[in-house]
Amino acid sequence: AQRVTQPEKLLSVFKGAPVELKCNYSYSGSPELFWYVQYSRQRLQLLLRHISRESIKGFTADLNKGETSFHLKKPFAQEEDSAMYYCALFNYQLIWGAGTKLIIKP
Amino acid sequence: KAGVTQTPRYLIKTRGQQVTLSCSPISGHRSVSWYQQTPGQGLQFLFEYFSETQRNKGNFPGRFSGRQFSNSRSEMNVSTLELGDSALYLCASSLDRSNYGYTFGSGTRLTVV
């Protein structure tokens, strides 16, 4: 079965500390993976897609097929990174993880 | 360019009633998908329309239906509302079913009482 798992409901780190939001997936084919972010009172928006291998707002995510993971990382957290983060797998529809609430403490 | 627009933003309905939600995609986007977001179940796929045809459907009962018009605007309808239908309904549009990602609307918050 296709599934996306985000094991942490809540992650709290201090400003300037590194951040890693975990995402594991279950999919038999070649996955298309995304990270979406939802800031307070804003709409869900695309942060990263694995195929582009880009860095957005200092965040990167590497697909590890061996570990079936697509963890989101940022070396130095900023207060404005506080938000809800969702990992999603695309297979004719988006299959979502439960989300991780990231809180950056000053 | 204008983003994805969903109307209305908020709705309160009574059990047994029906409701219609509207979504206007980004100009040029032909794919429109609908998702339900609840605290308990998270984000779940309802259906996707492309060029006025339903291309994919999630695991929701037949009370949930939708359609897409020639201008790509989409509506979803929920009949015989139940308390459990209370949720945030999100619409997302994209150029096509692709790996470019989707642009989401702000959602319609439906409360069934």
Side-chain angles (χ1 to χ4, degrees), chain A residues 6-63:
Chain A
Q6 292 180 252
E8 304 136 330
K9 278 191 173 180
L10 175 66
L11 183 63
S12 181
V13 302
F14 284 102
K15 176 183 172 182
V19 172
E20 183 179 51
L21 297 162
K22 292 184 168 49
C23 172
N24 289 90
Y25 66 91
S26 172
Y27 183 65
S28 57
S30 201
E32 292 182 26
L33 289 155
F34 301 86
W35 276 98
Y36 281 83
V37 61
Q38 189 167 31
Y39 300 102
S40 179
R41 296 190 182 87
Q42 294 188 27
R43 61 185 68 188
L44 202 56
Q45 56 186 283
L46 177 66
L47 181 63
L48 280 179
R49 45 195 173 105
H50 92 271
I51 197 167
S52 61
R53 302 184 63 82
E54 57 202 343
S55 173
I56 303 291
K57 298 185 179 183
F59 284 98
T60 58
D62 289 319
L63 175 61

Side-chain angles (χ1 to χ4, degrees), chain B residues 91-106:
Chain B
C91 167
S93 76
S94 69
L95 285 166
D96 193 352
R97 179 190 293 161
S98 70
N99 57 12
Y100 291 101
Y102 291 82
T103 303
F104 282 82
S106 297

Side-chain angles (χ1 to χ4, degrees), chain A residues 32 34 36 38 43-46 49 51 86 90-98, chain B residues 3-4 35 37 43-45 48 56-57 90 97-102 104-106:
Chain A
E32 292 182 26
F34 301 86
Y36 281 83
Q38 189 167 31
R43 61 185 68 188
L44 202 56
Q45 56 186 283
L46 177 66
R49 45 195 173 105
I51 197 167
Y86 295 94
F90 181 75
N91 182 30
Y92 300 104
Q93 61 178 271
L94 285 171
I95 300 161
W96 300 87
Chain B
V4 178
Y35 291 84
Q37 186 175 28
L43 282 151
Q44 293 184 287
F45 172 75
E48 184 218 358
N56 200 9
K57 189 177 190 306
L90 294 170
R97 179 190 293 161
S98 70
N99 57 12
Y100 291 101
Y102 291 82
F104 282 82
S106 297

Side-chain angles (χ1 to χ4, degrees), chain B residues 20-41:
Chain B
T20 299
L21 313 182
S22 179
C23 172
S24 293
I26 288 175
S27 177
H29 284 193
R30 295 195 294 166
S31 170
V32 174
S33 300
W34 289 88
Y35 291 84
Q36 183 196 64
Q37 186 175 28
T38 60
Q41 299 297 318

Side-chain angles (χ1 to χ4, degrees), chain A residues 44-89:
Chain A
L44 202 56
Q45 56 186 283
L46 177 66
L47 181 63
L48 280 179
R49 45 195 173 105
H50 92 271
I51 197 167
S52 61
R53 302 184 63 82
E54 57 202 343
S55 173
I56 303 291
K57 298 185 179 183
F59 284 98
T60 58
D62 289 319
L63 175 61
N64 185 322
K65 289 187 178 181
E67 295 182 0
T68 59
S69 69
F70 187 56
H71 302 329
L72 184 68
K73 299 177 184 178
K74 184 170 183 176
F76 307 104
Q78 298 174 302
E79 287 186 68
E80 54 265 33
D81 295 331
S82 294
M84 195 74 185
Y85 291 80
Y86 295 94
C87 182
L89 167 72

